[in-house]
């Protein structure tokens, strides 16, 4: 018992004395199930010495280790990877890496090390090192003087394969680099070259490097500098040349390729090597491709070629697309240039190349400008009078329908941000592998016709920026489509006109983006055939409420409604969201930049917002408009609901009172009106009922009206009344003095005439009641 207590106290003492560092580090297993020590971002000033001796990788980046002292890693002889990036290291002592005979990867990049003064034996203990990154360290004080790289120091790394280092002005790579015969990748991470003091990269720059080098990266040189044409002669076996973002100009890049004529290369990355800052007679910003300029490049069998943003504005026939080995291409990128696409020759060359590149998987022909068809010009003599090309010129510019087949190997196809002046184009796909198609923000006279086979393997489709009324993608089944983007597609116009805007069936679609479409409503049947949607983006529209069709999306995980005009969430939607959470499904809802309202009317939504388990994206930053039209933070308003909404009950009773008073008025006023005009209403109803009954009974009357009058009125009736009624109005009336037949009993004759008259008219005079038949006729 005493021994155990002593051991416990000893352990505690060790931890108190030197164990604080290990307490800050954590452990994990890498893909090979080997132990990794994570000691980054701990403000260490020295290397922790009490870590597990079994660690395979130590990550010490982002610390404060100014000096790597001798034997700093002596306890970790099994370690194979050491990461010391951004640790403020300025000095490495000669035996700092002693004991690391198994180390294969060392990264000391982004520190303050002066590599020129590294001791000659600082890497002598790293006999098995394969990867070394000493880039982004201290800059030289005199940039225009020769920079002598520590060739003797590096010469001990005979097994080194990958070296990352900075490229300085007037570089001198001494004979010590000849020892690095296993070096296959040379990566200049940071570039400080520029066109000054007669500087240029000489043919002899890399003469001491191994001819076995396979990969050369000179990236990010954001100043123009000259290159001699024989720069790459010492790398005859080079497979990858990456000059991306280095402003060396395309003309120079093309000329240094002569060592690789009729050879195979894995990749040429010339992205953005021509910049607007370069614009001289020899190296203009506007690049014109000639046959002579392509004489080296066209002969190389290239797997991947990136010519994007290289300033190309035009090219001679049989130059840019005149590759001798198009079948070698796997990836071809020529986007973000200023290529013309208004002549049939250019179209045919590009299409012919695509057709012959039978193994190509990625083809990016995006962000290309074009001449606009039929532009309006100013008249130099009369600027206010616009005129167009003549009809004859227009006919010359019109192109026939172009048909071409996609290679069966194509997987990635992008034709975005293009202005096409083609009348029409037809694309056929046979046994296609096309999984990614992007034709967004392009302008078409007629959308290209795509055959049904083009969609069989499609997983990603982007038709953003093209009005849905223009898109003529076939109404077919896209069985594998998982992502659809239709932003800025003017869907609102299709909704307004009642037209269908989902023009295909995609049962497996997961992600849909219909943002920026000015949508104010969507029908209940929207996405009826897409039950598997998990991510729906309807942001930046004009929606005032959440469309109810979302309640049918049972697998929804993310709903983006930011940038709309939503004031609250109604009860039905809230209930659906809560059911989603109860069924153990997560839901991320984005309501950023909406017109949320905090008032008594939306109190139910506010209380729900505070209690629900739904995840709101940036929910703590939502604002709402109060009843006094001031903006407030939604969370803060909810936390003080009693204070902010204390008058809601009184307001509610006020509303109830108003409703009751309004209801009373609504009931009393009609009753008063009905009572005052009851006889007119009864007479009106009687007439309507009588006409319906007469119509249903098909009853025919001999007279339109029977006149009851006193004998003294006969003269006035015949002289004034009958001419008006019978003469002008065309009605037939019954007068007992004129129309009763003699011989019949008078009472019977009158009764029968009254029965055969549609209406009865009393002519009231002074002596009417004294007549012998008046009372009888009334009865």
């Amino acid at each position: 018992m005493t021994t155990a207590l002593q051991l416990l106290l000893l352990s505690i003492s060790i931890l108190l004395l030197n164990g604080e560092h290990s307490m800050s580090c954590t452990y994990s297993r890498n893909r090979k199930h080997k132990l990794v020590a994570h000691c980054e971002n701990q403000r260490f000033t020295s290397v922790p010495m009490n870590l597990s001796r079994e660690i395979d990788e130590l990550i010490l980046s982002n610390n404060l280790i100014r000096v790597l002292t001798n034997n700093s890693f002596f306890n970790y002889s099994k370690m194979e990877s050491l990461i010391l990036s951004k640790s403020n290291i300025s000095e490495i002592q000669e035996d700092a890496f002693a004991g690391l005979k198994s180390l294969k990867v060392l990264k000391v990049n982004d520190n303050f090390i002066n590599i020129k003064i590294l001791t000659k034996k600082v890497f002598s203990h790293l006999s098995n090192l394969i990867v070394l990154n000493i880039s982004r360290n201290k800059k030289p004080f005199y940039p225009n003087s020769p920079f002598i790289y520590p060739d003797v120091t590096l010469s001990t790394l005979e097994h080194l394969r990958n070296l990352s280092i900075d490229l300085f002005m007037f570089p001198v790579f001494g004979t010590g680099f000849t020892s690095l015969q296993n070096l296959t990748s040379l990566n200049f991470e940071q570039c400080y070259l520029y066109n000054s003091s007669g500087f240029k990269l000489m043919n002899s720059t890399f003469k001491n490097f191994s001819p076995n080098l396979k990969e050369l990266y000179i990236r990010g040189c954001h100043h123009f500098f000259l290159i001699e044409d024989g720069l790459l002669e010492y790398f005859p076996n080079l497979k990858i040349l990456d000059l991306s973002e280095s402003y060396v100009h395309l003309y120079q890049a093309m000329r240094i390729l002569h060592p690789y004529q009729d050879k195979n290369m894995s990749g040429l990355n010339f992205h953005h090597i021509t910049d607007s800052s370069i614009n001289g007679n020899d190296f203009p910003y506007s690049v014109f491709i000639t046959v002579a300029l392509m004489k080296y490049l066209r002969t190389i069998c290239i797997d991947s070629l990136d010519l994007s943003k290289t300033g190309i504005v035009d090219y001679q026939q049989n130059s840019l697309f005149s590759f001798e080995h198009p079948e070698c291409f796997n990836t071809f990128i020529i986007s973000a240039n200023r290529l013309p696409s208004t002549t049939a020759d250019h179209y045919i060359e590009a299409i012919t190349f695509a057709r012959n590149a039978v193994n190509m998987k990625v083809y990016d022909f995006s962000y290309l400008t074009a001449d606009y068809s039929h532009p309006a010009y100013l008249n130099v003599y009369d600027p206010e009078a616009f005129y167009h090309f003549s009809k004859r010129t227009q006919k010359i510019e019109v192109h026939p329908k172009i048909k071409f087949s996609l290679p069966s190997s194509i997987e990635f196809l992008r034709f975005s941000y293009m202005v096409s002046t083609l009348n029409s184009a037809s694309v056929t796909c046979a046994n296609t592998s096309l999984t990614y198609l992007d034709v967004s923000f392009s302008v078409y006279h007629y959308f290209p016709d795509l055959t049904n086979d083009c969609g069989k393997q499609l997983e990603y489709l982007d038709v953003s920026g093209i009005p849905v009324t223009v898109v003529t993608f076939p109404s077919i089944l896209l069985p594998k489509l998982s992502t659809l983007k239709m932003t800025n597609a003017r869907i609102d116009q299709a909704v307004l006109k009642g037209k269908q805007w989902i023009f295909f069936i995609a049962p497996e679609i997961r992600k849909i983006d219909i943002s920026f479409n000015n949508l104010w409503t969507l029908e209940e049947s929207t996405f009826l055939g897409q039950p598997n949607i998990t991510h729906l983006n309807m942001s930046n529209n004009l929606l005032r409420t959440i469309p109810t069709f979302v309640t049918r999306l049972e697998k929804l995980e993310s709903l983006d409604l930011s940038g709309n005009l939503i004031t609250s969430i109604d009860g039905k939607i809230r209930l659906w969201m809560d059911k989603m959470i109860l069924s153990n499904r997560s839901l991320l809802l984005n309501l950023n930049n909406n017109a949320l309202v905090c008032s008594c009317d939306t109190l139910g939504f506010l209380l729900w917002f505070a209690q629900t388990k739904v995840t709101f994206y940036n929910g703590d930053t939502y604002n709402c408009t109060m009843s006094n039209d001031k903006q407030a933070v939604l969370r803060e308003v909810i936390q003080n609901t009693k204070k902010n909404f204390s008058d809601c009950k009184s307001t509610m009773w006020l509303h109830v009172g108003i409703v009751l008073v309004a209801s009373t008025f609504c009931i009393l006023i009609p009753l008063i009106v009905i009572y005052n005009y009851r006889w007119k209403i009864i007479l009106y109803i009687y007439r309507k009922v009588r006409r319906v009954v007469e119509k249903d009974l098909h009853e025919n009357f001999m007279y339109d009206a029977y006149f009851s009058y006193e004998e003294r009125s006969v003269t006035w009736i015949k002289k004034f009344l009958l001419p008006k009624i019978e003469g002008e109005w065309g009605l037939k009336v019954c007068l007992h003095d004129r129309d009763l037949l003699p011989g019949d009993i008078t009472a019977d004759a009158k009764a029968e005439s009254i029965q055969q008259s549609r209406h009865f008219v009393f002519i009231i005079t002074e002596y009417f009641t004294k007549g012998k038949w008046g009372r009888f006729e009334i009865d």
Side-chain angles (χ1 to χ4, degrees):
M1 185 70 180
T2 306
T3 305
L5 182 60
Q6 289 176 344
L7 288 174
L8 178 61
L9 292 174
L10 180 61
S11 300
I12 294 173
S13 300
I14 292 173
L15 287 173
L16 290 173
L17 290 173
N18 60 5
E20 56 181 354
H21 290 322
S22 69
M23 292 294 288
S24 303
C25 299
T26 59
Y27 295 96
S28 68
R29 296 282 178 178
N30 59 19
R31 293 180 179 178
K32 296 180 180 179
H33 301 287
K34 293 186 176 182
L35 193 63
V36 179
H38 296 274
C39 301
E40 62 268 34
N41 301 300
Q42 299 299 323
R43 304 182 66 83
F44 287 141
T45 57
S46 62
V47 177
M49 302 296 293
N50 56 345
L51 300 174
S52 171
R53 293 172 178 257
E54 301 299 319
I55 58 173
D56 178 77
E57 181 178 354
L58 173 58
I59 303 176
L60 267 170
S61 55
N62 290 290
N63 281 291
L64 303 174
I65 307 171
R66 191 183 66 82
V67 179
L68 284 179
T69 58
N70 291 332
N71 302 310
S72 292
F73 305 97
F74 197 79
N75 292 336
Y76 313 122
S77 58
K78 296 181 180 180
M79 186 163 60
E80 295 186 1
S81 178
L82 175 59
I83 313 298
L84 292 163
S85 307
K86 298 180 180 180
S87 286
N88 292 280
I89 300 170
S90 59
E91 181 185 348
I92 304 178
Q93 294 183 359
E94 188 171 274
D95 293 320
F97 301 118
L100 295 179
K101 293 182 179 180
S102 301
L103 196 70
K104 296 180 180 179
V105 178
L106 173 62
K107 295 182 181 180
V108 286
N109 54 290
D110 294 278
N111 284 291
F112 300 98
I113 303 167
N114 186 350
I115 64 172
K116 292 179 69 174
I117 61 172
L118 286 172
T119 60
K120 294 180 181 180
K121 296 183 179 180
V122 70
F123 296 131
S124 61
H125 301 282
L126 307 177
S127 56
N128 291 305
L129 195 68
I130 297 174
V131 177
L132 173 62
N133 188 343
I134 54 173
S135 64
R136 302 180 184 275
N137 273 284
K138 195 171 185 179
K139 302 178 185 177
F141 289 110
Y142 304 102
N144 290 327
S145 61
F147 186 90
I148 301 174
Y149 285 81
D151 58 312
V152 177
T153 302
L154 295 171
S155 64
T156 60
L157 302 174
E158 295 182 355
H159 292 92
L160 193 67
R161 298 178 190 173
N162 190 317
L163 174 62
S164 296
I165 201 167
D166 297 332
L167 184 57
F168 298 104
M169 292 283 286
F170 302 99
V172 177
F173 298 99
T175 56
F177 282 93
T178 58
S179 299
L180 306 181
Q181 290 301 304
N182 291 307
L183 191 67
T184 58
S185 177
L186 179 58
N187 185 3
F188 293 105
E189 287 275 358
Q190 191 80 3
C191 178
Y192 297 99
L193 306 184
Y194 55 92
N195 190 25
S196 175
S197 304
F199 171 76
K200 64 171 65 175
L201 275 183
M202 309 292 288
N203 292 339
S204 60
T205 301
F206 300 120
K207 67 179 181 180
N208 290 321
F209 279 91
S210 168
N212 298 319
L213 195 78
K214 297 293 191 295
E215 302 173 12
L216 177 61
Y217 302 89
I218 308 177
R219 298 176 291 196
C221 301
H222 289 165
H223 298 281
F224 174 72
F225 59 92
L226 293 172
I227 300 176
E228 289 191 344
D229 293 351
L231 177 69
L232 303 179
E233 288 182 351
Y234 294 98
F235 299 138
N237 299 307
L238 199 67
K239 296 299 181 183
I240 295 177
L241 174 61
D242 191 338
L243 301 176
S244 59
E245 298 290 343
S246 289
Y247 302 158
V248 297
H249 201 277
L250 187 60
Y251 287 172
Q252 290 196 115
M254 293 288 207
R255 291 168 187 160
I256 64 175
L257 294 177
H258 66 86
Y260 312 110
Q261 294 180 82
D262 300 311
K263 290 185 178 180
N264 296 338
M265 294 194 74
S266 300
L268 286 176
N269 189 351
F270 290 164
H271 168 70
H272 197 188
I273 62 173
T274 303
D275 188 71
S276 57
S277 61
I278 312 167
N279 193 16
N281 293 330
D282 295 330
F283 302 103
Y285 176 49
S286 298
V287 174
F288 182 74
I289 302 296
T290 63
V291 174
L293 192 63
M294 288 288 295
K295 67 179 180 179
Y296 303 136
L297 180 60
R298 68 190 300 270
T299 66
I300 305 173
C301 177
I302 310 171
D303 183 80
S304 300
L305 175 61
D306 189 346
L307 293 173
S308 59
K309 204 174 182 180
T310 50
I312 302 174
V313 297
D314 205 351
Y315 54 94
Q316 289 181 338
Q317 274 189 275
N318 301 315
S319 60
L320 182 58
F321 294 100
S322 62
F323 297 99
E324 295 180 2
H325 306 286
E327 71 281 359
C328 294
F329 278 99
N330 179 285
T331 301
F332 184 80
I333 303 172
I334 197 168
S335 59
N337 282 292
R338 292 167 287 160
L339 282 170
S341 52
T342 53
T343 65
D345 292 337
H346 285 102
Y347 276 120
I348 292 171
E349 284 195 38
I351 292 168
T352 302
F353 164 71
R355 183 172 61 245
N356 293 334
V358 293
N359 296 309
M360 188 157 57
K361 294 182 179 180
V362 178
Y363 191 23
D364 189 356
F365 209 70
S366 303
Y367 297 93
L368 303 180
T369 59
D371 293 333
Y372 290 89
S373 60
H374 320 317
Y377 294 96
L378 285 178
N379 188 325
V380 68
Y381 303 109
D382 185 8
E384 295 184 0
F386 286 91
Y387 65 91
H388 298 265
F389 271 137
S390 65
K391 291 183 179 179
R392 179 180 178 184
T393 308
Q394 291 177 8
K395 289 182 180 178
I396 292 174
E397 290 186 345
V398 171
H399 309 306
K401 184 171 184 177
I402 293 181
K403 299 180 179 180
F404 62 95
S405 301
L406 287 180
S408 59
S409 60
I410 282 284
E411 296 179 0
F412 184 105
L413 187 60
R414 192 167 72 140
F415 283 93
S416 59
Y417 290 90
M418 288 184 62
V419 179
S420 172
T421 55
L422 277 176
N423 271 3
S424 60
S426 177
V427 182
T428 58
C429 305
N431 299 319
T432 182
S433 302
L434 187 64
T435 59
Y436 185 107
L437 176 62
D438 183 354
V439 292
S440 59
F441 295 97
S442 294
V443 180
Y444 300 95
H445 285 306
Y446 299 98
F447 193 78
D449 294 329
L450 300 168
T451 59
N452 292 356
D453 290 340
C454 294
K456 287 185 176 179
Q457 304 296 327
L458 204 60
E459 297 177 5
Y460 181 100
L461 175 62
D462 190 346
V463 291
S464 300
I466 306 174
V468 291
T469 54
V470 174
V471 177
T472 56
F473 202 91
S475 299
I476 59 171
L477 176 66
L478 302 179
K480 296 185 178 181
L481 188 69
S482 61
T483 303
L484 170 66
K485 291 194 69 175
M486 294 182 69
T487 66
N488 294 281
R490 300 307 306 272
I491 297 176
D492 61 309
Q493 296 299 312
V495 173
L496 187 63
K497 297 175 182 177
K499 293 184 177 180
Q500 184 179 3
W501 56 274
I502 293 291
F503 40 83
F504 48 79
I505 301 172
E508 296 302 318
I509 200 164
R510 297 289 191 275
K511 299 178 181 180
I512 295 181
D513 186 350
I514 53 173
S515 56
F516 295 96
N517 275 292
N518 298 318
L519 294 170
W520 69 95
T521 184
L522 283 171
E523 295 180 356
E524 185 69 27
S525 59
T526 305
F527 302 132
L528 189 60
Q530 289 81 32
N532 297 312
I533 295 175
T534 58
H535 294 73
L536 179 58
N537 187 347
M538 296 190 291
S539 63
N540 297 284
N541 283 294
L542 303 174
L543 298 171
R544 294 184 177 274
T545 59
I546 300 179
T548 56
F549 75 82
V550 300
T551 59
R552 291 187 288 99
L553 305 179
E554 297 180 355
K555 297 183 180 180
L556 196 64
E557 298 174 3
S558 174
L559 179 60
D560 190 347
L561 290 163
S562 58
N564 279 281
L565 302 173
I566 296 171
T567 57
S568 68
I569 302 177
D570 63 45
K572 180 180 179 181
I573 300 295
R574 299 199 301 262
L575 182 61
W576 166 73
M577 290 182 180
D578 288 337
K579 287 182 178 179
M580 292 270 287
I581 300 300
L582 288 174
S583 58
N584 295 322
R585 290 199 299 270
S586 61
L587 178 63
L588 176 63
L589 180 60
N590 190 347
L591 291 176
N592 258 329
N593 299 317
N594 271 282
L596 298 175
V597 173
C598 292
S599 67
C600 294
D601 294 333
T602 62
L603 184 57
F605 159 66
L606 300 178
L607 296 175
W608 172 84
F609 185 89
Q611 299 172 358
T612 183
K613 300 298 182 181
V614 174
T615 304
F616 291 91
Y617 181 80
N618 287 337
D620 292 335
T621 64
Y622 293 173
N623 290 333
C624 66
T625 303
M626 301 292 289
S627 55
N628 57 4
D629 292 332
K630 291 184 178 180
Q631 291 289 309
V633 178
L634 185 63
R635 289 286 188 191
E636 295 179 359
V637 173
I638 293 173
Q639 290 172 0
N640 296 285
T641 51
K642 291 184 178 180
K643 176 182 176 181
N644 293 316
F645 305 106
S646 58
D647 59 340
C648 284
K649 290 186 177 180
S650 58
T651 304
M652 180 186 70
W653 285 114
L654 178 62
H655 290 170
V656 170
I658 292 173
V659 170
L660 290 175
V661 171
S663 301
T664 303
F665 274 102
C666 290
I667 295 171
L668 286 177
I669 290 175
L671 289 177
I672 293 171
V673 171
I674 292 172
Y675 180 79
N676 288 336
Y677 295 93
R678 60 189 183 279
W679 296 115
K680 290 185 178 182
I681 294 172
I682 292 171
L683 179 58
Y684 174 80
I685 296 173
Y686 167 74
R687 288 174 178 172
K688 290 292 183 182
V689 172
R690 180 177 174 182
R691 287 177 184 173
V692 172
V693 171
E694 289 174 356
K695 185 176 180 181
D696 291 341
L697 296 176
H698 304 287
E699 187 173 356
N700 296 318
F701 295 94
M702 182 180 295
Y703 304 104
D704 291 304
Y706 180 92
F707 279 25
S708 176
Y709 53 90
E710 194 265 329
E711 299 296 335
R712 296 180 181 86
S713 303
V714 173
T715 303
W716 176 81
I717 291 173
K718 291 182 178 180
K719 186 176 181 180
F720 296 101
L721 193 57
L722 289 182
K724 189 71 174 179
I725 295 176
E726 292 186 336
E728 293 185 20
W729 296 353
L731 299 177
K732 186 178 181 181
V733 300
C734 178
L735 301 177
H736 61 81
D737 291 304
R738 183 188 67 180
D739 299 312
L740 294 184
L741 297 177
D744 293 336
I745 300 173
T746 302
D748 294 339
K750 282 180 176 286
E752 185 176 355
S753 298
I754 291 172
Q755 186 67 30
Q756 293 179 351
S757 299
R758 187 183 303 275
H759 300 289
F760 198 93
V761 180
F762 294 97
I763 300 175
I764 306 300
T765 61
E766 183 180 358
Y767 301 102
F768 178 79
T769 57
K770 296 180 181 180
K772 61 180 179 178
W773 294 107
R775 178 60 62 182
F776 173 79
E777 290 169 339
I778 290 174
D779 292 336

